[in-house]
Each structure stands twice: as C-alpha cells, then as structure tokens.
Amino acid sequence: ALLPYVPRVPPTALPGKVTATTFALEMPCCVFDGHANASDAVWLVVAFANASDAFRNPPSRDDVPPYERLPTAHSYMTLETAAAAYACPAPSPAFLRVGGDTACGGQGGRDPCNGPLPSPGPYRVKFLVMGCHGPKAETRWSDPILLRRGTGDPRGPPSARAAVVVTSILASLGAALAAGVLGAVGAEAWGSLCRRQPGNGAFALRSYRTHHIPPALPQPLPPGCGCSPPGLGSFAPRRPGPCPAE
C-alpha cells in the first residue's frame, strides 16, 4: 500500500537539525496503524535524490541494501524498528536522527547501520513496512534534503587541524607570557642600577629647589679713604692712592 505520508525534516528550530553528516526526521506516529502487525518492521530507506526513482523495494530482509553500499548502489536501508513503536498509543521521541551512529562500518556489511552520511547529498527518504513475506506498505518519498557542506582542508582531518590551532594558541600565549616576564625583570634590573649609581643620570631624575644668593656688589669708595670696598677684603690688597686733599 502507498501511504500519503511524506517524511520531512522538522520545521521548528532544533539543535543539530541538519549537520554535515546527519539530519533529523519527524516521527511517523500513527502512520502505519491498520497496515502493520506487531511482528512487522518499519525501515527507513535513504537514497541520493537522483537515485530514488530507481530504488526497488527488497523482497525480503536478506536483500536489504546495507549502509556500506551507499557509495556504489546510491541507497541503503536503516533504522529497523518494530511497527508497534510508531503506533498511536506508544510513547516515542519526537524525532529520528539519521546518520547518528559513528560506529557503523565494522559489522561486515550485513547488520542494519545508521552511519554518518558521506556527502551533502541531497537525499530523499521514505518509510517501508516489511513483513515476513516482504514489503507491505510504504510512504511517499520526502523532498530533497541537503546537508551542510563541510569545510574541507587539504592539510589534514578536522582533528589534526584542531590540534594545530590549539598548539598555535598555546605558543602565542607562551610567547606573550615570556615577554611579560622579561619586561618585568628588565624593569627591576634598570631600577636597581639607577639606585646603585647616583651619578649624573640619577641626579637628572631628581628635582631640587635652591635659594639663589646674589653676590655683594662693590660699594663706591667713600670720600677720603683708599681702603678696599666692603666684601673684597679677602682678595689681594691694592695700593691705596692718596686721599684727596680737603
């Protein structure tokens, strides 16, 4: 049976709703009631958008295309879940995470795997009900889902680039710390040198106030005397001239 339900990414804001390797889907609650028994399983089919029309439902579980075949077959099936998990009375989370199992790839290619998506896509998905005798019902294909593009860097994987960034930051912090220590040591040494050598340099750094005492000016000779003027008595005496006659 072809069910009218169309899978979609939730329209509301959701952390990690679409990333470079995963995306979220709304839970198809109550969609398979009346079309699936308790023993049936519901699968999610993931295909590249341009390969969805060429996908053919597998006749049995043994023919389910595995996750590892996505690069060559352009489609795979994942999230095998009991149909009862999507029934109306059953409590269930609001969203399904596609591509959230980072440990995929080591099961030999046969067990269901919900591994990270290898490229931005776009992808299209649908839900398929599988019983003991093969497919029983399916939903319509979703609209194309485009993932965020990763920023590729030929210098190495993201972990290596992160290590390089962290190393660069630590090196910069170390250089700044070393410069600060050397600056503090240099300033202390310079201050110590100035305190130990109170020469011209130390004198230039100090401020003094002085009182200027002007020298005594020679007084004019008093009339009738040939003596030295006041303030010049310590100098060599000069021969006095004759006093003027009165």
Side-chain angles (χ1 to χ4, degrees), residues 109-120:
R110 297 311 311 164
D111 293 333
C113 189
N114 185 28
L117 297 169
S119 72

Side-chain angles (χ1 to χ4, degrees), residues 75-96:
S75 61
Y76 71 102
M77 292 171 61
T78 185
L79 296 179
E80 182 184 18
T81 308
Y86 299 114
C88 285
S92 59
F95 308 108
L96 294 173

Side-chain angles (χ1 to χ4, degrees), residues 106-130:
Q107 298 91 345
R110 297 311 311 164
D111 293 333
C113 189
N114 185 28
L117 297 169
S119 72
Y123 299 92
R124 297 179 71 187
V125 298
K126 72 175 181 178
F127 290 96
L128 177 64
V129 179
M130 294 277 291

